[in-house]
Amino acid sequence: MIPESVFSVVLAPIGFVAIGAMLVLLGEVLLSRTKSFLGRPWNARLIGSVLAGVAMFSLLLALFVSSQWFATGDVQVFNPQHPLLQLDRFSALASVLIVLAALLSCALATYYLEAVGINHAEYYALLLLSTAGMLVLVSAIDFLSLFLGLELMSLPLYALAGFDRSRLSSNESALKYFLTGSFASALLLYGVALLYGAIGSTSFAALRAEFDPESTLALCGLGLVVVGFAIKLAAVPFHQWAPDVYEGAPSSVTAFLSVAVRAAGVFALLRVLGLGMTTGADAAIDSALASLAPVFAALAALSMIVGNLMMLIQNSVKRLLAYSGVAHAGYVLMGVAAGGSEAWAAVVFYLVVYTFMNIGAFAIVVSLAQRGRDSDRVAAFAGLARESPGRAALMTLFLLALAGFPVTAGFFAKFGVFSAAVNAGLAPLALLGVVMSVVSVYAYVRIPVLMYMHEKDEFVGRAAEAQSGERFVLLTCGVVVLALGVLPNGGTVFEFALGEQGFALWLPPVLDWSRDAVAALVP
Amino acid sequence: MLPELNTHLLSVVTFAPLATALLLLAINCAARLAGATLPVLVWRTFGLVASGLSFVLSLSLFTGFDLKEPSFQFVEHAAWLPSWGIDYFIGIDGISLFLVLLTTFLTPIVLVTSRHEVARSRSSWVFFVLCLETGLLGAFVSLNLFQLYFFWEALLVPIVFVIGVWGGPGRRRAAQKFLVFSALGSLPLLFAILVLASLPIAENGALLFNLVAPPGAGGAGLLDLPIAVDGPIWWQNQAWLFAAFALAFAIKLPLVPLHNWLPDALVEAPTGGSVLVAGVLLKLGGYGFLRFAVPLFPDATLAVAPLFLCLAVVGIVYGSLLAMVQTDLKRLVAYASLAHLGLAALGIFALNTSALNGAVLQLVNHGLVAGALFLLVEMLHRRRSTRLVSEFGGVAKPMPVLAACFGVVILSSVGLPGLSGFVGELLILVGAYLASPLSAVAATSGVLLLAAGAFWMFRRVMFGPIDNPENRGLIDLGLGERLVMLAFLLPIVGIGVYPEPLLRRIEPSVVELLRRVDSRTQTRAPSEPAPEHERTLVIPIDPSDEGEAL
């Protein structure tokens, strides 16, 4: 007999995504055996499009369920006897964000896979499985389910990184990612084992209740858990894998990898720490876990320094964005270190913004890929403004957002975490972040300078037209980055009446949503 | 007039250019989808209409300005991000009024005159100039520090494009240098603003970015907040906060060790860009000191005033000397700007009524003079494709009108009585003499050097025999060019002859600023007599006397 809890709504988003993955796998096997369908001959491209449609449909269902759940604001626990997963506003918002990232990555991949010659439908299945893993990860309230989610997230990604199997660098990327990823998992698992030894339970609630800062065993365990997360986030000094993996993996995979893994990791980290927050909205993290704040501050400082400085000397856009990701992990960790619900709301907002601006930047890289090969040299951007002004303008927008210029969402995101750090008394850390941002401005602006102020490199072929999927992604990301750059907390932009009907252009209050999500963390 | 326009006049002035630019961009995108392109003529016409409208409306700011009110006028206040203490809060006083006017005056002229020089991507040029205008105006009218930073940082992007896309041969380097110098200044400013906003958090748990309390909404402003001089937490002390603010503003002003980006940016930028950078962008530095750094951190200001006076004098002398030896006319104007703005800095840090009045006037005057000079140089350049002084000689014979305009502008720039430069320079030098006689003497010698350099250049270019046969057939200014020059000469002569309408608007705000500085100063014990240079603050010069004296 199946226990009732299996049908719990907690599993609904995860279930939709996982069932979608199965359908895609099954569909690939069935469709590729058929020679024609309704009189029309099948080819790999058609199969790919159909299965991409299936994948996106399942993601849309998951998106719908999670956003509905966020709207209701209820809390539901899976398996109440031994709570493993919890669906509340925090995990609902995290799920929405991750599913959105997966959706955008799917839309981005449809043409790109064909262009690079790796149009196999397993791609979507792996992407969906990894997404399912992330959804488990962000709703986990027990180290067991956390580890389960982490592995389910990572294993398909290792395969995705090596998806372009005829290319050596893709294989290298997969192997490197697999090795470091396994280390991360092993360290985390070891940490969990130590914590279990010290506390006698694997649930976050027990960790909160019984954590003893005097106990070396528990501290070692927590430290190892943090290291495991730091590797996933690519925070310095655990970042060495990121540039190589990002560069070697197919660009559409890198787009997903760079935002979703980081977002899921930070959300899970907040959940682990969050159960340590005392009741009361603005209380800082518990004394037990306050000892971790300097650790996060140190990770943040190192990440900001190394990430921003290394960005200066990169010749590959994907490596540049990899180090940019390291730097952004630093900014996020600064917010985590600041502690308190307002700071963490800023962190959540940062993740939302980062998702869109980074996927946008990668979408440009993807759309510039030429038939048969990736083109990610910085020099390939020379003179792009003349050739495709729209993409040049959008790339400039995304890079300015990453650099934190106003009128883009990146500014408010950075402003939020810096402000949180200053308010929490971490002003020197914020000052370091500010100084490093100056460095990053120089690094990011190299590309717009090439696009607008240099003539085209004659060895670079003409960029292909942007395809519909890519246009959709670019437009979505562009609109979000600009809209959140003016009104991060939404509101009515303008309204007018036409006859009886009133119309209003309304933007969502993303900042308030972030606050609501973090409010759900406080027990 | 529409009632809504009256209550939102300042917003309309500020955002009309941006709104037009975005609208044109949207139409352009729609046209591209349909396979057509929006003609450049449409861009130029609508751009001109928008910036012209902005100018006309800003004139009604001037006429509607209340002379009795020392504080902010045309105030608009609305919630933007209440949870972070961020408001949309704008208003002007006598100091910012004329900088707003200067901006709205120069932008249409830039759009008109850049027709010949900007050869490619003309529609983007209009777009960026309009964005830039809104950015500059937004920075001048912001009364919320967050909002100030928002505009301050956002306007870098159009400027970098203006320099880097349409500039001269060294444009890429100049654009990057400008951007890095600006970012170096603005990001510490962001940090200081964040620290400042977090100061009242202990009391009421909310961030505070408003400079003064918004009317009707109650609450407090940052100017009501005491800022520790010698507190236990170093980053909350005036010295460090002032350092961060001063760095940002001194780079823009520019003060001498931080001026390195200026000649490159001004020389490499297209003429329209040079006019806007020299005419308006540099004013942000002086304005930032007057509006924010000085009243917020009076103790720190008083402590470093001697140093800054010194730097200002060095700037005047150094700029004048370098201007003297330049062979390129545009570079010469760039170094002369350095000297002129050194004079404005002298006025700001002399910290008395007369000097501050002079400093504001000098900012306005420099905007006019530098704008006119860059345009005149471009008119010569368009005819001869060179800007080298040695290539010219005797130009006054074929081009008497240009020579006359050039002469008047040069005379105003060196401070001839009856022209706009004189009033500002005199007030600054008088004020500086009260603050520190030595600095006034040194500055005066610097001004003389500048005059010598300018006249020498003028003589070599305009008079003497026509050595170079190419100069013989030069065509004098056309009607359009004459009209543009007339637009500059009217205010230059007008301010010089009758500065009272300006002084009567500037003076109350300056007195209010000094009152704030005086009341917020913590380091001076009440019994202690005010030091020499501060005693003058309590003797405001009566505006009517001023008019008679001149």
Side-chain angles (χ1 to χ4, degrees):
Chain A
M1 205 183 86
I2 305 167
E4 204 176 308
S5 57
V6 169
F7 298 108
S8 157
V9 66
V10 180
L11 292 184
I14 304 164
F16 281 128
V17 175
I19 290 169
M22 301 303 156
L23 283 180
V24 169
L25 271 185
L26 213 65
E28 218 259 335
V29 173
L30 293 178
L31 291 180
S32 56
R33 294 288 177 280
T34 338
K35 287 284 178 274
S36 66
F37 181 67
L38 293 175
R40 292 176 63 189
W42 273 124
N43 57 26
R45 189 170 175 189
L46 262 178
I47 298 178
S49 317
V50 168
L51 295 177
V54 173
M56 278 150 109
F57 182 70
S58 68
L59 286 171
L60 279 175
L61 282 177
L63 184 67
F64 178 74
V65 175
S66 325
S67 52
Q68 285 301 309
W69 194 261
F70 183 81
T72 61
D74 288 348
V75 179
Q76 181 114 24
V77 178
F78 171 66
N79 194 9
Q81 291 83 38
H82 183 179
L84 289 175
L85 302 174
Q86 177 174 319
L87 192 57
D88 51 20
R89 284 202 145 159
F90 183 76
S91 40
L93 185 75
S95 307
V96 167
L97 187 65
I98 287 161
V99 169
L100 270 178
L103 255 177
L104 291 175
S105 309
C106 273
L108 206 55
T110 44
Y111 180 78
Y112 172 81
L113 294 183
E114 176 77 19
V116 187
I118 46 171
N119 198 353
H120 313 295
E122 293 94 334
Y123 181 90
Y124 301 105
L126 289 170
L127 193 76
L128 288 182
L129 281 175
S130 175
T131 309
M134 290 172 188
L135 297 186
V136 173
L137 185 63
V138 296
S139 42
I141 54 166
D142 189 292
F143 278 115
L144 288 181
S145 45
L146 179 104
F147 185 72
L148 195 72
L150 195 73
E151 286 301 279
L152 186 54
M153 167 181 90
S154 306
L155 285 172
L157 282 178
Y158 303 147
L160 278 175
F163 204 70
D164 194 356
R165 60 195 156 195
S166 59
R167 198 157 48 86
L168 206 58
S169 65
S170 185
N171 287 309
E172 178 199 341
S173 157
L175 193 63
K176 275 198 176 144
Y177 195 23
F178 174 66
L179 286 177
T180 48
S182 318
F183 261 106
S185 304
L187 287 173
L188 191 119
L189 198 58
Y190 191 46
V192 171
L194 292 184
L195 279 176
Y196 183 68
I199 293 166
S201 164
T202 54
S203 86
F204 297 168
L207 174 70
R208 167 176 156 63
E210 291 169 41
F211 186 81
D212 174 16
E214 302 294 306
S215 147
T216 323
L217 198 60
L219 272 182
C220 285
L222 201 57
L224 284 172
V225 169
V226 169
V227 169
F229 275 113
I231 296 178
K232 285 292 167 200
L233 298 182
V236 178
F238 308 106
H239 69 291
Q240 306 286 5
W241 60 272
D244 291 345
V245 172
Y246 281 32
E247 190 186 17
S251 300
S252 61
V253 175
T254 315
F256 181 65
L257 185 78
S258 63
V259 296
V261 172
R262 198 160 276 135
V266 174
F267 278 119
L269 183 61
L270 288 186
R271 175 79 83 176
V272 173
L273 299 173
L275 290 178
M277 278 172 74
T278 42
T279 358
D282 272 305
I285 31 179
D286 256 356
S287 63
L289 293 170
S291 53
L292 279 180
V295 176
F296 289 122
L299 284 175
L302 286 172
S303 303
M304 289 189 292
I305 294 174
V306 173
N308 284 316
L309 285 180
M310 291 300 282
M311 244 198 303
L312 288 172
I313 53 167
Q314 301 306 318
N315 288 321
S316 144
V317 186
K318 279 156 84 180
R319 281 186 90 86
L320 188 141
L321 288 173
Y323 280 110
S324 135
V326 171
H328 283 272
Y331 300 134
V332 167
L333 284 174
M334 177 159 71
V336 173
S341 59
E342 195 57 27
W344 286 5
V347 167
V348 171
F349 182 71
Y350 201 106
L351 292 173
V352 174
V353 171
Y354 181 70
T355 300
F356 286 97
M357 59 192 185
N358 215 36
I359 286 192
F362 272 110
I364 302 277
V365 177
V366 166
S367 81
L368 290 178
Q370 285 154 346
R371 290 220 161 252
R373 66 186 179 86
D374 262 354
S375 125
D376 73 335
R377 284 184 310 126
V378 169
F381 280 84
L384 189 71
R386 195 69 67 76
E387 199 173 285
S388 46
R391 272 181 285 177
L394 281 169
M395 185 65 172
T396 309
L397 174 71
F398 296 132
L399 290 175
L400 288 179
L402 285 167
F405 270 84
V407 201
T408 68
F411 173 61
F412 278 103
K414 225 176 219 178
F415 182 85
V417 289
F418 283 1
S419 171
V422 169
N423 296 345
L426 292 175
L429 191 60
L431 186 61
L432 180 71
V434 157
V435 172
M436 282 301 141
S437 296
V438 181
V439 176
S440 81
V441 167
Y442 191 75
Y444 287 119
V445 157
R446 270 166 70 210
I447 293 177
V449 164
L450 274 170
M451 290 193 297
Y452 283 92
M453 304 170 199
H454 283 254
E455 293 308 316
K456 191 166 178 60
D457 185 347
E458 56 196 82
F459 301 107
V460 181
R462 204 180 150 72
E465 281 284 304
Q467 302 299 312
S468 51
E470 292 153 7
R471 282 190 182 161
F472 167 74
V473 175
L474 287 174
L475 206 64
T476 314
C477 294
V479 167
V480 171
V481 166
L482 270 180
L484 291 184
V486 180
L487 289 173
N489 208 15
T492 314
V493 181
F494 64 83
E495 46 193 340
F496 62 96
L498 197 71
E500 296 289 298
Q501 228 93 38
F503 296 94
L505 181 61
W506 175 86
L507 292 176
V510 180
L511 205 54
D512 279 346
W513 289 350
S514 313
R515 284 204 187 88
D516 292 344
V518 171
L521 278 186
V522 181
Chain B
M1 214 182 266
L2 295 166
E4 275 151 24
L5 186 60
N6 273 334
T7 47
H8 296 294
L9 191 57
L10 201 51
S11 290
V12 175
V13 168
T14 308
F15 288 103
L18 181 69
T20 314
L22 292 179
L23 194 68
L24 286 170
L25 184 68
I27 297 172
N28 199 23
C29 287
R32 274 179 71 92
L33 286 181
T37 46
L38 200 60
V40 179
L41 189 67
V42 176
W43 276 93
R44 284 173 35 84
T45 315
F46 279 88
L48 207 55
V49 167
S51 58
L53 179 79
S54 204
F55 176 59
V56 172
L57 290 176
S58 65
L59 283 181
S60 67
L61 290 179
F62 178 79
T63 51
F65 195 84
D66 182 1
L67 298 178
K68 304 268 173 354
E69 172 64 59
S71 190
F72 297 102
Q73 310 187 20
F74 302 101
V75 172
E76 289 170 43
H77 179 248
W80 183 3
L81 266 183
S83 53
W84 281 354
I86 296 168
D87 293 335
Y88 174 73
F89 186 20
I90 60 175
I92 50 172
D93 65 356
I95 297 170
S96 44
L97 169 68
F98 293 102
L99 298 173
V100 168
L101 276 170
L102 188 66
T103 315
T104 55
F105 169 73
L106 287 177
T107 312
I109 289 184
V110 164
L111 282 176
V112 170
T113 53
S114 57
R115 194 175 66 230
H116 301 285
E117 199 189 1
V118 173
R120 62 192 186 96
S121 320
R122 290 184 187 173
S123 34
S124 322
W125 165 262
V126 177
F127 177 79
F128 282 118
V129 169
L130 290 177
C131 290
L132 182 56
E133 183 178 11
T134 291
L136 291 164
L137 288 173
F140 283 131
V141 300
S142 295
L143 296 180
N144 181 295
L145 280 173
F146 174 87
Q147 203 190 334
L148 165 86
Y149 184 80
F150 192 84
F151 285 111
W152 178 276
E153 187 80 353
L155 68 83
L156 296 183
V157 178
I159 290 204
V160 167
F161 273 94
V162 161
I163 297 176
V165 176
W166 291 279
R171 61 205 158 96
R172 291 189 280 258
R173 208 176 96 81
Q176 283 183 341
K177 200 166 169 183
F178 169 75
L179 187 67
V180 169
F181 262 90
S182 302
L184 194 67
S186 59
L187 286 161
L189 175 67
L190 173 65
F191 173 73
I193 289 176
L194 284 173
V195 172
L196 207 53
S198 74
L199 288 180
I201 209 168
E203 288 166 34
N204 52 13
L207 295 173
L208 181 65
F209 288 101
N210 286 338
L211 193 63
V212 293
L222 284 170
L223 280 178
D224 307 324
L225 197 75
I227 296 161
V229 175
D230 200 13
I233 307 173
W234 61 266
W235 65 76
Q236 293 179 353
N237 281 344
Q238 276 199 21
W240 288 99
L241 292 172
F242 178 79
F245 271 73
L247 181 67
F249 299 144
I251 286 175
K252 283 279 184 338
L253 189 56
L255 274 177
V256 146
L258 303 168
H259 67 286
N260 196 304
W261 62 274
L262 180 72
D264 282 343
L266 287 183
V267 172
E268 295 302 337
T271 304
S274 312
V275 171
L276 284 177
V277 170
V280 188
L281 179 76
L282 300 183
K283 307 301 171 293
L284 275 176
Y287 170 74
F289 274 115
L290 289 174
R291 169 75 74 245
F292 302 102
V294 172
L296 278 171
F297 317 111
D299 297 294
T301 308
L302 292 177
V304 298
L307 173 69
F308 276 57
L309 283 177
C310 208
L311 290 178
V313 169
V314 170
I316 298 170
V317 176
Y318 176 78
S320 307
L321 285 176
L322 279 176
M324 224 177 206
V325 298
Q326 294 307 314
T327 52
D328 181 316
L329 280 172
K330 209 172 179 186
R331 201 165 269 277
L332 190 149
V333 179
Y335 280 108
S337 293
L338 193 59
H340 275 141
L341 290 162
L343 214 49
L346 187 72
I348 293 169
F349 288 98
L351 276 179
N352 53 50
T353 323
S354 127
L356 285 172
N357 278 335
V360 177
L361 271 180
Q362 175 70 5
L363 290 178
V364 176
N365 173 53
H366 174 256
L368 293 171
V369 165
L373 281 177
F374 278 119
L375 286 173
L376 284 165
V377 169
E378 170 58 21
M379 287 169 188
L380 276 176
H381 177 244
R382 195 185 304 152
R383 287 169 171 79
R384 281 292 319 278
S385 304
T386 179
R387 293 189 304 246
L388 293 180
V389 176
S390 55
E391 285 285 313
F392 295 101
V395 174
K397 272 195 202 95
M399 305 180 74
V401 180
L402 177 120
C405 297
F406 213 124
V408 173
V409 175
I410 287 277
L411 287 175
S412 170
S413 102
V414 300
L416 185 83
L419 296 173
S420 63
F422 172 70
V423 191
E425 277 179 25
L426 182 75
L427 287 174
I428 290 174
L429 290 176
V430 168
Y433 185 80
L434 293 175
S436 136
L438 192 61
S439 75
V441 171
T444 313
S445 63
V447 172
L448 288 178
L449 279 175
L450 180 65
F455 287 140
W456 189 35
M457 177 274 287
F458 190 68
R459 192 180 64 78
R460 279 185 297 164
V461 171
M462 294 299 167
F463 300 131
I466 303 182
D467 295 332
N468 194 332
E470 284 184 54
N471 288 335
R472 203 155 287 154
L474 288 178
I475 305 159
D476 206 353
L477 301 188
L479 180 65
E481 288 168 325
R482 286 182 195 196
L483 284 177
V484 168
M485 279 298 107
L486 186 67
F488 277 103
L489 291 184
L490 277 180
I492 286 179
V493 176
I495 297 174
V497 175
Y498 188 55
E500 212 181 300
L502 277 78
L503 283 172
R504 276 169 61 196
R505 287 169 173 79
I506 295 171
E507 173 106 23
S509 303
V510 162
V511 173
E512 169 76 6
L513 168 69
L514 287 172
R515 192 192 58 74
R516 281 218 171 94
V517 170
D518 223 21
S519 68
R520 284 172 57 80
T521 309
Q522 303 163 23
T523 36
R524 204 179 56 233
S527 57
E528 195 182 322
E532 184 76 15
H533 70 278
E534 281 172 60
R535 212 178 295 154
T536 56
L537 355 150
V538 289
I539 319 167
I541 299 166
D542 189 48
S544 55
D545 295 352
E546 197 76 26
E548 280 163 28
L550 294 169

